[in-house]
Amino acid sequence: MVGSSHEALHRIFQKDPALLTRALQRVLHVPFPEPHEIAALNVDLTETEPVERRVDTLLRAETDEGTYLLVVESQGKVDDRKRGSWPYYLSYLYEKYRCEPVLIVITQNSGTARWAAQPIRLGFPGWHSLTVRPLVLGPDNVPVITDERQAEQDVPLAVLSAMTHGRGPQAAPILESLATALKTIDPDSAAVFVQFVDSCLADPQAKQMWRDLMTAIQYFWRHPLAEQVREEGREQGRAQAKAEMVLRVLEWRGIPVPEHVAERVSACEDADRLEMWAQRAVGATCAEDLFVEE
């Protein structure tokens, strides 16, 4: 389950990777080539020494002009440690994949956006050995979508608008137009977007308004899979329902499930263990991550 705005702000691009390239082209006016395919990659950049380094979201985009690695970092506040970690991420990824890395920072805060947009220059004045120029998506450039028709034309972008501007004075019309637009897409995707928005609404009044809107159209703010488990548990048994939930979470996140993993999950009758696997499935990068430490 997405429990924070930090998670939601970058994981929306895992849910709809094409939204990221549209944001680059339409919001930042960066002539990024149209990708034929975008795939999520493992976000773990840990090396052999006991230092863990992870990016938030990592996507590989195949285009006519080459292959690019899209590094998405969700940034809640100014953090000068990024001056060292962001260049490291890009250098490491280029060395590992031999593809051009592109750093995109997303934030809900204008001050953080201005800080993140500043180039990181390493070296001495007049001769910089390395320059990193992040692309930044934030409240100053992400469009404010308050029109229902505009929201329906690009629902993921409308979701990004709500996530970015939901704490501002225009929250009400943004949320209302998005609520209407969500009715036009499939319920599973809509329910995921509902959770992303809910996680990013820091203002209590805006959050309550959003939950009231979602209750009215039967998209509860809690993850829909949790609701499905309760219904299916009455018919099929608690353990079987939880096992199916674990596999559906992996499927929803686009993670391939090998046969041996599916068999192990389906055969498990320990409800507590299945609950643990379900929680791991939300953040897993591969199906085998369910069984870590086991």
Side-chain angles (χ1 to χ4, degrees):
M1 180 175 180
V2 178
S4 68
S5 60
H6 176 91
E7 286 292 309
L9 282 169
H10 70 85
R11 280 182 52 189
I12 186 176
F13 299 115
Q14 297 177 15
K15 170 63 180 171
D16 187 347
L19 171 63
L20 184 57
T21 57
R22 294 201 301 276
L24 293 179
Q25 295 164 353
R26 301 177 191 178
V27 178
L28 299 180
H29 305 293
V30 174
F32 190 85
E34 195 67 33
H36 306 303
E37 179 183 352
I38 301 181
L41 302 179
N42 192 325
V43 299
D44 192 348
L45 308 185
T46 306
E47 295 189 88
T48 54
E49 66 267 19
V51 177
E52 183 178 298
R53 299 180 186 270
R54 290 178 181 268
V55 297
D56 287 332
T57 285
L58 180 61
L59 304 171
R60 181 174 58 207
E62 304 287 349
T63 76
D64 286 337
E65 299 178 20
T67 301
Y68 295 89
L69 298 176
L70 304 178
V71 184
V72 184
E73 284 283 282
S74 174
Q75 195 66 31
K77 60 182 180 180
V78 174
D79 183 355
D80 289 331
R81 292 176 300 177
K82 298 298 184 180
R83 178 177 171 82
S85 58
W86 284 345
Y88 169 84
Y89 295 164
L90 301 182
S91 299
Y92 177 88
L93 289 169
Y94 180 78
E95 178 65 20
K96 181 176 181 179
Y97 293 101
R98 290 296 169 177
C99 301
E100 298 294 339
V102 180
L103 175 61
I104 301 101
V105 179
I106 180 165
T107 181
Q108 296 174 291
N109 183 278
S110 294
T112 303
R114 290 190 293 270
W115 162 80
Q118 297 176 4
I120 300 172
R121 296 186 175 94
L122 303 181
F124 59 86
W127 193 274
H128 300 115
S129 302
L130 177 65
T131 301
V132 175
R133 298 179 60 194
L135 295 166
V136 181
L137 293 168
D140 295 330
N141 54 19
V142 172
V144 176
I145 299 179
T146 58
D147 180 76
E148 293 178 6
R149 293 184 179 180
Q150 187 180 359
E152 291 173 2
Q153 290 174 356
D154 194 337
V155 174
L157 185 60
V159 173
L160 184 63
S161 176
M163 293 164 61
T164 307
H165 300 284
R167 63 177 64 187
Q170 293 180 292
I174 292 174
L175 298 178
E176 290 171 351
S177 64
L178 176 58
T180 301
L182 286 174
K183 300 177 185 178
T184 66
I185 64 175
D186 69 278
D188 289 340
S189 294
V192 173
F193 288 143
V194 166
Q195 188 188 12
F196 285 160
V197 174
D198 186 85
S199 297
C200 289
L201 295 176
D203 180 72
Q205 291 184 336
K207 185 182 287 284
Q208 188 58 53
M209 175 187 177
W210 179 242
R211 294 180 178 181
D212 291 342
L213 286 169
M214 294 303 97
T215 301
I217 60 174
Q218 298 182 348
Y219 288 135
F220 296 97
W221 63 272
R222 290 166 295 183
H223 198 283
L225 293 178
E227 299 296 322
Q228 282 186 318
V229 165
R230 279 194 280 272
E231 290 298 322
E232 294 173 359
R234 298 187 184 100
E235 300 175 3
Q236 303 174 4
R238 185 165 176 254
Q240 181 181 354
K242 284 184 176 290
E244 292 178 359
M245 182 187 71
V246 172
L247 298 177
R248 278 200 301 273
V249 171
L250 293 174
E251 179 182 2
W252 157 64
R253 297 191 59 233
I255 295 177
V257 181
E259 186 174 350
H260 72 277
V261 172
E263 290 177 352
R264 180 173 176 181
V265 172
S266 299
C268 182
E269 297 180 355
D270 186 335
D272 291 337
R273 175 166 293 182
L274 287 167
E275 182 70 24
M276 177 178 63
W277 288 350
Q279 294 174 6
R280 290 177 178 173
V282 174
T285 56
C286 66
E288 285 77 10
D289 284 352
L290 298 180
F291 314 130
V292 65
E293 299 177 359
E294 294 183 18

